[in-house]
Amino acid sequence: MEVSNYWYFLSGLTLLSALMVVLSKNPIHSVLYLVFTFFCISGHYVLLNAQFLMAVNIIVYAGAIMVLFLFVIMMFDLKKNIPDSKTNLTKLAGTVVAGSVLVILVAAFRTIQYPTPDESTFNPNNGMVENLGKVLYSEYLLPFELVTVLFFVAMVGSVMLGKREVGDRNF
Amino acid sequence: MTPVIALSLFGIINLFLGFTFKRQSLQVVTLLFIICSMALTAMDWNHEYLWFGDMMKTNNLSINFSLIIQLAGLLVVAFSNGFGKDEVYTQPAEYYAILLFSLVGALLMVSFQNLIMLFVGLEILSVAMYVLTGSDKRNLRSNEAALKYFLMGSFATGFLLFGIALVYGSTRSLYISGILYNLSHTAPESLPSFLYAGIILMGIGLLFKISAAPFHFWTPDVYEGAPTIFTMFMSTVVKTAGFAAIYHILDVTFGGFQKNWIITVYFITIITLILGNISAAYQQSAKRMLAFSSISHAGYMLLTVCANQPSTSSNILYYSLAYTLATAVSFAVLMVVAEYQTGRTEKPENFDALNGLAKNNPSLAFAFTVALLSLAGIPLTAGFWGKFFVFTDMFNKNLTYPIIIAVLMSAVGIYYYFKGIISVYFNSGEIEKIETSFLFKIALWSACIGTLVLGIYPTLLKSIF
Amino acid sequence: MTLPILSLIICIPLLAALVLASGKLKGYAQQISLGASLIQIGLLIKLALGYQTSTATFQWVEQHDWIHFSLGSLGQFVAKYHLGIDGLSFGLIILTGIISSIAIWNSDSIKEKTSSYFALIMLLNASLMGCFLAKDFLLFYLFFEFMLLPMYFLIGIWGGPRKEYASIKFFIYTLAGSLFILLALLALGTSYIDPYETALAIDFIQPGQAFSAENAQMIQTAIANGEIASDKWVHSFDAAVFADLKNCYYKSILHPDSAWVLGNLSAREWAFWLLFIGFGIKLPIVPFHTWLPDAHVEAPTPVSVLLAGVLLKIGAYGWLRFTLPFFPKEALEFSNILSGIGAISIIYGAFNALAMTDLKKLVAYSSISHMGFVLLGIASFTAEGWQGAIFQLISHGVLSSLLFLLVGVIYDRTHDRSIQNYSGLAQIMPAYTFITGLAFFASLGLPGFSGFIGEFFSLMGSFNSQHSSAIWAILGGLGIILGAGYFLWTFQKMFLGKQYLKNSEWLLSDLTRKEKLSLYFLGISSLLLGIFPSIIFNLTDNWVSHLINQLF
């Protein structure tokens, strides 16, 4: 099969599972469909030759974050169906806003001319892990190392905020 | 680059020092660290460096911004009183360490040459602020403020990232020099239309951080909920760094595309000025009033960004400095008075809690008055010259309507700033003499005197800027 | 070396304010400030001895560099610390010095926080002097805005029952006016280019060399032809630069040919109106006068004296020194409207004064009415009108101080200012009655007193004016009649007739020696000025004729 057939198949699968995320009644089902959607998008990344991104997407997004989602859903008691408390006016407003965004997006995408890659400098293997690693550790070394500070702040901050103080209640 | 490395190292050292040092000593040590890093920054004066292959740039402009940001950090540490109250501030070493790390993020935001560096710097600064906002764990307002700031800030960062992606997609480069080169060598018709979307999205992401309307809804709640010392940091450092970033993006990188983004930023400026000033007039809480006043000052600084004159960077520097000094002093006074009034009044941060301050605390009252006058823009204070230079820029660009609105809103501003002066001097209340530490007094008086000296002789620093 | 007298005049009260603010010499606050004020008067006398009335140029000029910032390709901005006096400001600063001394001398009613009070009075004095002495518009603007602060605190802390309302109203009102002036100041600063400074910047001339009119001409044509690079243009805020239309860059917003129009008025006309209204709020002119009655009624007596005696004059001074020399053509265009506003101020103030039951409010509205004559005289654009207006400024300074001190006399004794509560005071307080009668007659314009000269010449100028119609002068004359009405009725109600006091326990002693000294001094000054008006006319003659001939 040609590549474009793969592309159509994957896109169809992605859209279908994304729709099922929104439409399914059971939240656990929604989460699972979302995981499936992420897998499909990782498939798209493979088609774009972005190996590393595919791996990271699956590990981080589908793996870590969705598992966190599942944990949270587990902790809530979702047997009772939460009534839909939105008024009709809100629903109408939401429809209008989302609909206009859709129209604008369609109009924009129709008139966009995508720039074509520059033939001399285009390297189709840019997304391969080896090439990515080379760039990350040579050209982008500084931001790579400075992200350490960001992680440090996050770690110190989360420990600081989560640490039990004298007199705190025991859950 | 050296101050970035220095501050990161100092932050780590601070964490370790937390095991052995007492709070007051930690404060002094942190002060020394910041002074050391300011000296390292100033050593590069009149040199131009590009670091790590055009990732970061050191020139006089970035040195000036870095010095103002570190000065703000210095004032915050000096006013922090060593985080004395045990019940509220439980881990002083961590606070100081995170403050130093956030200074690193701010320094990255003022000297970036690559959009990734802007993003990393913004994230470091923001995450540090999210943590510090929520650091008062027992207080529900603090938790709410932290969550609100985190959620809305992450959303804004998402906008910024989307904008960066679109800009990269249309200009094929993440470096500012690369973007400028590619944009100038491409015919305007063949530029993809999502470049303009990218510019606006990046602008929106950054405008959120400096709380321009209509992206300002987080500011009053976050400023009010956070502990006052961290509000002081937020309103001075984050704003200065944010404006430096906005200047680099909108005026330097995309200055040639001004006719695309000017209308949006024009309207944002006008709405910011009107909303900030008019909402501030309705506030009963002095802290919330200062939050809205910071929104309105963002409006004034955006005026000069709109004007995009050769003197814009110098005016942003001067205005940031004047605003930093004045805001630091006003929050400092609010902090000590609120601390004093916490057991005694229901709302220790309202204007009523300040009643009668002048009777037993004349120096606090005088400093507060000078700070409020500088924020209001009364002559003989640095704030007046900040506004004057901004208005001069606008006149040079012949943008007359925003000036009229800015001038009218200045008059509105007088009303709510004078509420503070009235409470302090005219109303009567019972406030005894409040004891403040030696460092607090030095910081208060030097900021005050700085405001007055810059008000009388602005050329002192304007010639350097 | 010539003494920098003008800077000393401004610095001495500032020093006194610093000394007083340190709070060390609490008991001697009044003495210190009185001493500083007397030193200031001594300096003024020295000034007067060296002053030459024959020239119209500035004397005792001091000029130092102060602010300099460059805007890259848009040029450079220069503001100078530039002081000088001439015929217009000379009379006014002597008035300031004397009225300040009298206000300090009469501050016995202030009992608490005296050192802060006198420190604020000294600050106010310094700013007022600075306003009158500054030749650079930006420097003037700084002093002009700064003087609002001490006045705000003075009214707000030591004032009457509604002091907070009155003080914040005063502050916001006058600050709004100053913001209008700021707009005009910025427009002027960015539109006009200083030929002397530009010549210095391009090394055409060395500092200290003479700069003739031909040199200025050369620079102006060079700029217009684009021969000088735009980053060498120097905008300065000097009043002399703004007064010369040729200095206006032809592409700027304030050039007569500029296309900027907002609602039928060109940019120059807008700038004129902004300056007019900004200074007019201080005068005050009628639509913008509502701050005055509140501020006067709530202010303590010595502060009222300073407010009425000196602060109101700055409005007119601003017109004469800055607005009219900068925009002469636009002013002429609107001279009818200006005269109309003046006449309306006179009539409206007088009618309001007729209706007042509070003595201090009555004097406040009579102030509004008398300042209307100043506007009427100025708007006539004739030499006698302007001379009359300036004379009226000084005369009103003396007389309104006198009137407010008189109100203070009765208020200090009884804390009640209602006219209906008193009758037949002549029998208990003869000296007070005498001096009040003198003051009232002088104010309403009795010949022989200074009020008559001021009003007469203003009306004469307005009648003779070719630019505004005579109807306004006639209305002004009507205002004099109304003035006679309210003053004489008040005099009759309070002082003549049967003796009656609302509260029979009031202890109404006659004037003390201290009060007599200041009141008689002011009364005699008014009489002297009325009999020998040439004292003032000699000072202002040269300046007025020079300006009128040059501009109109």
Side-chain angles (χ1 to χ4, degrees):
Chain A
M1 296 211 271
E2 301 177 29
V3 178
S4 55
N5 287 342
Y6 281 122
W7 190 88
Y8 283 122
F9 177 64
L10 263 178
S11 307
L13 217 51
T14 316
L15 285 173
L16 188 63
S17 60
L19 263 175
M20 287 312 295
V21 171
V22 180
L23 294 177
S24 66
K25 292 263 188 323
N26 192 337
I28 305 275
H29 288 177
S30 289
V31 170
L32 291 175
Y33 275 120
L34 193 55
V35 172
F36 191 58
T37 315
F38 287 138
F39 270 94
C40 297
I41 295 191
S42 302
H44 277 294
Y45 286 144
V46 171
L47 287 178
L48 286 170
N49 230 351
Q51 273 185 359
F52 183 67
L53 215 47
M54 171 206 75
V56 169
N57 201 25
I58 292 182
I59 297 174
V60 174
Y61 232 144
I65 297 183
M66 297 318 295
V67 169
L68 276 176
F69 265 60
L70 277 171
F71 264 110
V72 170
I73 294 182
M74 242 174 28
M75 292 207 208
F76 287 125
D77 181 14
L78 290 166
K79 297 255 177 45
K80 29 189 201 302
N81 207 357
I82 305 160
D84 195 349
S85 56
K86 301 270 188 296
T87 60
N88 277 336
L89 182 62
T90 317
K91 288 189 202 168
L92 179 67
T95 316
V96 167
V97 169
S100 45
V101 171
L102 178 66
V103 166
I104 293 176
L105 280 176
V106 168
F109 281 130
R110 277 189 48 199
T111 56
I112 281 184
Q113 308 142 313
Y114 291 94
T116 50
D118 189 5
E119 295 295 317
S120 53
T121 59
F122 179 63
N123 179 3
N125 287 330
N126 255 335
M128 295 295 172
V129 179
E130 185 182 342
N131 293 332
L132 187 64
K134 275 195 200 146
V135 171
L136 196 60
Y137 281 92
S138 61
E139 199 180 331
Y140 285 90
L141 180 64
L142 183 63
F144 186 69
E145 299 295 340
L146 281 171
V147 170
T148 326
V149 180
L150 178 58
F151 289 157
F152 211 58
V153 171
M155 281 196 301
V156 171
S158 52
V159 169
M160 194 179 89
L161 287 177
K163 188 172 126 175
R164 190 184 305 172
E165 299 300 329
V166 176
D168 264 358
R169 295 196 327 241
N170 234 335
F171 283 104
Chain B
M1 189 68 206
T2 355
V4 169
I5 302 176
L7 281 172
S8 320
L9 281 174
F10 289 151
I12 299 178
I13 296 177
N14 234 336
L15 281 175
F16 283 109
L17 287 178
F19 288 132
T20 45
F21 278 34
K22 294 197 322 280
R23 291 164 191 252
Q24 309 301 128
S25 336
L26 270 177
Q27 181 187 16
V28 174
V29 165
T30 316
L31 272 177
L32 287 172
F33 283 158
I34 299 185
I35 293 179
C36 188
S37 115
M38 279 172 88
L40 284 171
T41 323
M43 266 170 31
D44 288 329
W45 185 253
N46 270 337
H47 300 294
E48 278 217 16
Y49 298 124
L50 281 176
W51 299 98
F52 282 92
D54 211 15
M55 276 285 167
M56 275 176 67
K57 182 173 175 175
T58 306
N59 59 3
N60 277 355
L61 179 64
S62 81
I63 291 180
N64 281 327
F65 268 120
S66 311
L67 283 174
I68 295 181
I69 288 177
Q70 286 167 67
L71 176 71
L74 196 68
L75 284 172
V76 168
V77 173
F79 284 135
S80 64
N81 280 334
F83 292 113
K85 276 172 80 176
D86 277 344
E87 319 84 58
V88 177
Y89 302 113
T90 44
Q91 291 124 337
E94 280 78 11
Y95 300 138
Y96 285 126
I98 296 186
L99 277 177
L100 290 177
F101 288 137
S102 59
L103 282 179
V104 168
L107 289 185
L108 290 178
M109 275 176 81
V110 309
S111 49
F112 71 92
Q113 283 293 102
N114 186 310
L115 296 178
I116 296 285
M117 291 301 287
L118 168 67
F119 176 68
V120 169
L122 185 69
E123 276 300 283
I124 296 178
L125 184 61
S126 306
V127 169
M129 287 329 296
Y130 304 153
V131 166
L132 289 177
T133 308
S135 59
D136 187 2
K137 290 190 272 193
R138 305 283 171 82
N139 187 354
L140 198 59
R141 305 298 303 267
S142 181
N143 293 342
E144 172 201 352
L147 200 60
K148 215 175 247 189
Y149 195 10
F150 172 58
L151 289 175
M152 299 186 90
S154 310
F155 203 59
T157 310
F159 272 106
L160 178 71
L161 212 48
F162 193 16
I164 293 180
L166 289 177
V167 165
Y168 177 65
S170 45
T171 57
R172 280 182 248 122
S173 169
L174 283 173
Y175 293 93
I176 292 188
S177 50
I179 295 176
L180 281 172
Y181 181 80
N182 286 342
L183 285 178
S184 60
H185 281 82
T186 331
E189 310 83 52
S190 59
L191 279 173
S193 43
F194 52 79
L195 170 67
Y196 311 115
I199 301 176
I200 300 271
L201 283 171
M202 280 184 76
I204 289 178
L206 289 171
L207 284 170
F208 170 88
K209 284 295 168 198
I210 54 150
S211 56
F215 317 114
H216 70 286
F217 291 104
W218 59 275
T219 314
D221 296 320
V222 170
Y223 277 33
E224 202 186 0
T228 317
I229 188 72
F230 299 130
T231 313
M232 192 194 301
F233 190 86
M234 268 196 280
S235 62
T236 52
V237 171
V238 177
K239 238 191 241 300
T240 309
F243 266 105
I246 288 187
Y247 171 72
H248 279 302
I249 293 290
L250 286 180
D251 282 342
V252 172
T253 316
F254 296 113
F257 291 88
Q258 194 164 12
K259 60 184 188 323
N260 298 103
W261 55 260
I262 188 73
I263 296 283
T264 315
V265 181
Y266 205 69
F267 275 111
I268 287 180
T269 312
I270 297 184
I271 301 177
T272 308
L273 283 169
I274 298 181
L275 268 181
N277 279 300
I278 297 205
S279 315
Y282 282 103
Q283 299 306 319
Q284 299 295 332
S285 157
K287 206 167 164 189
R288 238 179 136 84
M289 179 278 279
L290 283 174
F292 277 109
S293 105
S294 81
I295 297 178
S296 62
H297 281 285
Y300 289 113
M301 283 201 262
L302 274 176
L303 281 176
T304 185
V305 167
C306 280
N308 201 3
Q309 301 288 316
S311 56
T312 296
S313 56
S314 162
N315 292 341
I316 294 183
L317 276 169
Y318 197 89
Y319 202 104
S320 304
L321 181 62
Y323 172 71
T324 300
L325 292 174
T327 314
V329 169
S330 42
F331 271 120
V333 173
L334 260 182
M335 188 171 73
V336 285
V337 173
E339 223 174 275
Y340 173 85
Q341 296 275 40
T342 322
R344 299 158 220 251
T345 340
E346 241 182 61
K347 296 199 190 267
E349 284 158 357
N350 273 13
F351 282 116
D352 294 330
L354 286 165
N355 278 349
L357 186 64
K359 202 158 88 175
N360 288 323
N361 296 289
S363 49
L364 279 180
F366 179 69
F368 194 52
T369 309
V370 169
L372 287 180
L373 289 177
S374 177
L375 287 173
I378 305 288
L380 290 190
T381 56
F384 168 73
W385 290 112
K387 290 212 172 86
F388 182 79
F389 294 141
V390 166
F391 291 160
T392 319
D393 262 0
M394 294 293 285
F395 255 109
N396 272 328
K397 189 88 187 240
N398 280 337
L399 290 172
T400 37
Y401 297 111
I403 296 191
I404 300 177
I405 296 187
V407 162
L408 286 174
M409 290 300 137
S410 286
V412 175
I414 305 289
Y415 168 66
Y416 56 80
Y417 287 123
F418 268 72
K419 270 207 270 196
I421 301 184
I422 292 176
S423 306
V424 162
Y425 275 112
F426 295 176
N427 291 350
S428 54
E430 288 307 311
I431 302 188
E432 294 148 14
K433 178 127 183 69
I434 301 181
E435 288 302 321
T436 48
S437 69
F438 178 65
L439 277 172
F440 186 95
K441 285 200 193 45
I442 290 192
L444 194 74
W445 278 109
S446 36
C448 229
I449 292 179
T451 309
L452 288 172
V453 163
L454 282 177
I456 300 179
Y457 195 54
T459 336
L460 198 65
L461 286 181
K462 193 77 163 66
S463 48
I464 306 180
F465 290 162
Chain C
M1 183 188 87
T2 54
L3 205 57
I5 287 194
L6 299 183
S7 298
L8 273 177
I9 291 182
I10 301 182
C11 285
I12 297 222
L14 277 178
L15 266 162
L18 274 173
V19 166
L20 289 166
S22 67
K24 293 285 190 302
L25 300 147
K26 275 204 187 359
Y28 301 99
Q30 190 172 16
Q31 284 86 331
I32 294 179
S33 42
L34 198 57
S37 186
L38 287 174
I39 298 180
Q40 209 179 40
I41 293 189
L43 286 170
L44 284 171
I45 295 180
K46 181 165 193 317
L47 207 61
L49 290 175
Y51 186 75
Q52 295 152 326
T53 53
S54 49
T55 61
T57 55
F58 283 95
Q59 305 179 28
W60 297 99
V61 172
E62 294 170 34
Q63 184 170 334
H64 302 288
D65 284 327
W66 173 40
I67 297 182
H68 185 138
F69 58 100
S70 83
L71 291 175
S73 67
L74 293 165
Q76 305 171 27
F77 277 82
V78 157
K80 290 225 169 66
Y81 175 77
H82 198 174
L83 304 176
I85 56 166
D86 66 353
L88 175 63
S89 42
F90 187 67
L92 288 168
I93 57 173
I94 298 204
L95 180 74
T96 311
I98 296 181
I99 300 289
S100 307
S101 312
I102 293 186
I104 296 175
W105 179 247
N106 280 302
S107 293
D108 291 328
S109 54
I110 309 286
K111 298 281 189 289
E112 35 173 58
K113 295 193 230 172
T114 47
S115 53
S116 324
Y117 170 82
F118 285 109
L120 285 169
I121 296 250
M122 287 283 103
L123 271 179
L124 185 61
N125 188 345
S127 331
L128 290 170
M129 285 299 191
C131 272
F132 287 128
L133 293 172
K135 273 187 64 192
D136 186 294
F137 200 11
L138 187 60
L139 187 65
F140 169 83
Y141 181 74
L142 283 187
F143 281 121
F144 183 75
E145 271 225 39
F146 186 69
M147 93 191 151
L148 301 179
L149 266 179
M151 191 49 94
Y152 170 74
F153 282 111
L154 283 169
I155 300 181
I157 302 187
W158 290 277
R162 283 167 77 223
K163 54 190 175 172
E164 294 94 3
Y165 170 72
S167 58
I168 195 79
K169 187 175 181 179
F170 161 78
F171 193 85
I172 296 188
Y173 229 122
T174 34
L175 193 93
S178 330
L179 288 174
F180 291 157
I181 299 177
L182 179 69
L183 276 177
L185 169 79
L186 284 170
L188 285 167
T190 49
S191 307
Y192 283 70
I193 303 182
D194 188 343
Y196 177 64
E197 290 292 326
T198 314
L200 277 179
I202 58 173
D203 290 326
F204 181 72
I205 211 171
Q206 299 304 319
Q209 260 184 300
F211 191 71
S212 66
E214 293 86 44
N215 292 351
Q217 192 89 343
M218 268 172 34
I219 299 281
Q220 283 158 359
T221 40
I223 292 178
N225 293 339
E227 288 159 13
I228 305 185
S230 70
D231 63 329
K232 289 273 193 296
W233 297 346
V234 180
H235 303 266
S236 86
F237 289 95
D238 200 78
V241 169
F242 292 157
D244 188 357
L245 188 56
K246 297 200 284 294
N247 283 329
C248 189
Y249 180 56
Y250 69 94
K251 276 206 227 145
S252 68
I253 195 173
L254 278 187
H255 196 260
D257 299 332
S258 101
W260 195 92
V261 166
L262 178 66
N264 261 344
L265 290 177
S266 75
R268 284 192 77 84
E269 289 164 350
W270 267 110
F272 169 74
W273 278 113
L274 283 174
L275 279 178
F276 176 74
I277 293 181
F279 285 119
I281 290 184
K282 276 218 116 32
L283 192 73
I285 52 180
V286 155
F288 308 110
H289 69 285
T290 51
W291 61 272
L292 188 83
D294 287 308
H296 264 132
V297 166
E298 304 301 332
T301 307
V303 176
S304 276
V305 164
L306 265 177
L307 181 56
V310 187
L311 239 89
L312 302 187
K313 316 296 174 272
I314 298 205
Y317 174 79
W319 280 338
L320 288 170
R321 171 74 78 215
F322 298 109
T323 317
L324 297 177
F326 296 169
F327 299 106
K329 282 224 299 294
E330 290 76 17
L332 273 181
E333 236 180 272
F334 296 119
S335 68
N336 229 346
I337 304 182
L338 298 182
S339 305
I341 297 180
I344 293 179
S345 296
I346 300 176
I347 303 281
Y348 187 77
F351 270 120
N352 263 311
L354 270 173
M356 287 297 135
T357 55
D358 181 336
L359 186 60
K360 205 164 183 187
K361 237 180 181 160
L362 183 140
V363 176
Y365 274 108
S366 89
S367 258
I368 299 179
S369 184
H370 288 298
M371 291 310 270
F373 280 102
V374 173
L375 179 52
L376 201 57
I378 293 180
S380 67
F381 295 109
T382 55
E384 55 268 20
W386 279 34
Q387 293 262 43
I390 301 177
F391 194 91
Q392 172 77 340
L393 280 181
I394 300 182
S395 142
H396 180 261
V398 170
L399 285 172
S400 66
S401 315
L402 180 58
L403 286 169
F404 278 109
L405 281 174
L406 290 169
V407 174
V409 163
I410 203 110
Y411 184 71
D412 284 340
R413 286 157 174 68
T414 61
H415 288 285
D416 188 325
R417 292 184 299 249
S418 301
I419 299 180
Q420 60 236 35
N421 293 346
Y422 302 91
S423 176
L425 284 177
Q427 299 164 23
I428 2 176
M429 305 169 77
Y432 181 61
T433 313
F434 169 67
I435 191 69
T436 312
L438 192 98
F440 279 177
F441 279 114
S443 284
L444 66 89
L446 192 71
F449 287 99
S450 54
F452 169 70
I453 307 280
E455 290 169 3
F456 174 73
F457 276 97
S458 306
L459 287 176
M460 184 165 94
S462 183
F463 243 126
N464 286 344
S465 162
Q466 299 149 329
H467 308 287
S468 49
S469 75
I471 184 91
W472 308 123
I474 299 177
L475 282 176
L478 185 64
I480 301 186
I481 303 178
L482 290 171
Y486 58 77
F487 273 133
L488 292 177
W489 268 323
T490 311
F491 189 66
Q492 183 200 25
K493 275 188 235 172
M494 281 184 75
F495 293 92
L496 306 176
K498 250 174 54 166
Q499 184 182 341
Y500 161 76
L501 292 173
K502 176 87 182 278
N503 186 344
S504 48
E505 287 164 6
W506 279 341
L507 201 61
L508 286 173
S509 53
D510 208 353
L511 300 173
T512 64
R513 266 185 53 196
K514 202 171 179 182
E515 289 166 346
K516 271 193 199 162
L517 199 62
S518 18
L519 290 172
Y520 282 151
F521 175 77
L522 285 172
I524 294 179
S525 318
S526 174
L527 186 63
L528 261 177
L529 283 175
I531 302 183
F532 299 111
S534 52
I535 300 179
I536 306 285
F537 283 147
N538 275 344
L539 290 171
T540 55
D541 193 20
N542 262 309
W543 183 83
V544 168
S545 48
H546 179 79
L547 204 63
I548 293 261
N549 290 335
Q550 194 184 42
L551 296 176
F552 309 111

